[in-house]
Amino acid sequence: MTRPHVFAGSPLDRLDYRRRDAEWIAERLADPATRYLPVSKLAPAVQRADGPTLAWCRSHALELAADGSDPIFLGARGDEILFALDVTGLENPSERLGLRNAEFPDLRAIASRLSVEDASIAAQARHLVDWHSRHRFCPGCGQPTHTKDGGWSRLCRACSTEHFPRTDPVAIMLVTSGERCLLGRQPSWPRPFFSALAGFVEPGESLEETVRREVKEEAGIDVGAVRYHSSQPWPFPASLMIGCMAEATSEEIRVDESELEEAQWFTRDDVGRSLRRPSDVLAVPPRMAIAHALLRVWVGE
Ligand SMILES: [Zn+2]
C-alpha cells in the first residue's frame, strides 16, 4: 500500500522514555517554543485558509485552559515538541486563543482533506482527550485520578492504581466466496449503501474467532480461513479497526435484523464499478474507510 489508511502514518516520535520524566515534561511546558493543539468538544482546531491544516497555539493557551484539563504530550516532530490541550471549557475558543480563521470541525468530516500527518496527529489527540475526559475518577475506588506521564496514564492516589488509555479492537472483514463478496447494510444507511461486516473483539476471543462469530451472527454465513490485511486507528472514540479477508464456507444468508437491515452477495464487477462511481446496485464506503481499501484489494486495484 502506497499511502497509509487515514489516521495512520504519524510523523511523531512519542518519546516514551521522556514523557515518564515529570521534570522533562515541566521543562517542555515552560519552553515558549512548545506548541499546543487545542481540542474543543473532541474536535481538534483546523485552519481552513491554507490546506486545511491543524491550527497550533503557543503557551498562552495553557493559562486559558487552566480548568483542570492538563496538556497531553503528543510527541516530537523534529525539534518541535507538541501537546494536545482540551479547551472545551472555553467559549469562542478560536477568538480566545487568538487563532484567526481556525474552526473546530468534526474530525470525521475533515480528516480526508488533511495531510496524512495532520490526520494522524488529530486522531491521537482526539483519542487521548476523550479518554482523559471520561476517566477523571478511579473505576476501582471512585476517587479522583491525576494526569501522569505527560498524559499517558492517570494515577489514583487513594488506591495507588494506574490507569492507561484504552484502545478497543474491532474486526472488519471482507467475506468472499469465489467471485462474490458479502456486504451488509445497517438500518440507518440509505440503500444502496453497503459495507464490510464488522464487530468488536469480545473478551476471551482471538481475532479469527471474532470474525467467524460476527459473520455467523449477522449474516448466518460460516467462515473458514481468516487472513489479516491491515489496520486503522479510528478515534470515535477509541477503536482500532483490524481489516481481514475471510473465506466463506457456506452461501445461504440469514440476517440478524437487530444488527443489519440486509446482507447480500455482490460480484467483483459490481464492486469494481461502484468503486469508480456509486451505481443503483451498490454504493461503497468512502476512501477514508478501511472497508474501501479491502474492497479495492479484492477487485485487484
Ligand atoms: Zn482508586
Side-chain angles (χ1 to χ4, degrees), residues 138-143 156-161 163:
C138 176
C141 74
Q143 292 302 305
C156 173
R157 293 181 190 137
C159 73
S160 304
T161 307
H163 303 282

Side-chain angles (χ1 to χ4, degrees), residues 231-242:
S231 64
Q232 178 185 35
W234 193 254
F236 307 101
S239 295
L240 176 69
M241 307 299 287
I242 307 174

